[in-house]
């Protein structure tokens, strides 16, 4: 596909297009659109978080981890990014490194019971 398609339109147009591709489970295409959008507006959390999710779902875990760490630099109290970082680290076999992120995500979401990371919140993953 022609690269200009990914760059076409306003940032809002590209955001909408990326969300459509993500919802259609076309994660690599969504990531391609979001990558350009993130370069254009690096301070915005929402495009970075969706980009991280697209990377996660397309098994590009190192890229997902990097974006999630950037999200947390921009917004340290973004509990969903914390949860996704924990899951991404777990999926890479780094459970010990994931544990503090998962505990913090549970606490931030108001779920203080050990071992219940999935309870009390809708899974956006």
């Amino acid at each position: 596909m022609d690269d200009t398609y990914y760059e076409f339109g306003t940032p809002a147009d590209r955001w909408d297009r990326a969300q459509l591709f993500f919802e259609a489970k076309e994660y690599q295409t969504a990531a391609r659109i979001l990558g350009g959008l993130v370069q254009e507006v690096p301070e915005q959390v929402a495009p970075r978080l969706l980009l991280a999710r697209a990377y996660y779902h397309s098994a590009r875990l190192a890229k997902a981890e990097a974006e999630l760490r950037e999200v947390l630099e921009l917004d340290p109290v973004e509990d969903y990014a914390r949860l996704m970082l924990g899951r991404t680290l777990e999926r890479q076999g780094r459970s010990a490194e994931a544990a503090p992120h998962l505990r913090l995500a549970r606490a931030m979401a108001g779920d203080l019971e050990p071992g219940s990371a999935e309870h009390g919140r809708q899974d956006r993953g």
Side-chain angles (χ1 to χ4, degrees):
M1 186 176 291
D2 186 7
D3 284 345
T4 58
Y5 173 78
Y6 298 104
E7 299 167 2
F8 179 76
T10 67
D13 292 336
R14 287 179 280 139
W15 170 248
D16 290 342
R17 188 177 312 119
Q19 288 180 304
L20 289 172
F21 278 107
F22 186 89
E23 289 167 10
K25 298 183 180 180
E26 294 287 338
Y27 302 119
Q28 290 186 356
T29 303
R32 191 166 179 181
I33 296 166
L34 289 162
L37 193 56
V38 163
Q39 286 180 348
E40 189 174 325
V41 286
E43 71 284 355
Q44 290 189 6
V45 170
R48 281 191 181 278
L49 188 54
L50 190 59
L51 177 57
R53 292 176 65 200
Y55 285 149
Y56 178 87
H57 286 296
S58 59
R60 293 155 64 185
L61 301 177
K63 288 185 174 208
E65 178 184 348
E67 286 302 324
L68 290 164
R69 290 188 188 280
E70 286 291 327
V71 167
L72 291 169
E73 280 288 318
L74 294 168
D75 186 359
V77 296
E78 172 50 68
D79 64 322
Y80 188 66
R82 186 74 59 186
L83 175 65
M84 284 298 302
L85 179 57
R87 287 183 177 175
T88 300
L89 293 168
E90 278 184 330
R91 199 167 163 195
Q92 294 178 75
R94 297 159 59 192
S95 296
E97 195 177 339
H101 295 288
L102 295 173
R103 276 193 305 273
L104 188 52
R106 282 194 306 272
M108 292 167 80
D111 183 4
L112 301 177
E113 291 185 38
S116 60
E118 304 305 316
H119 301 310
R121 73 178 290 128
Q122 182 180 7
D123 185 25
R124 295 187 265 175

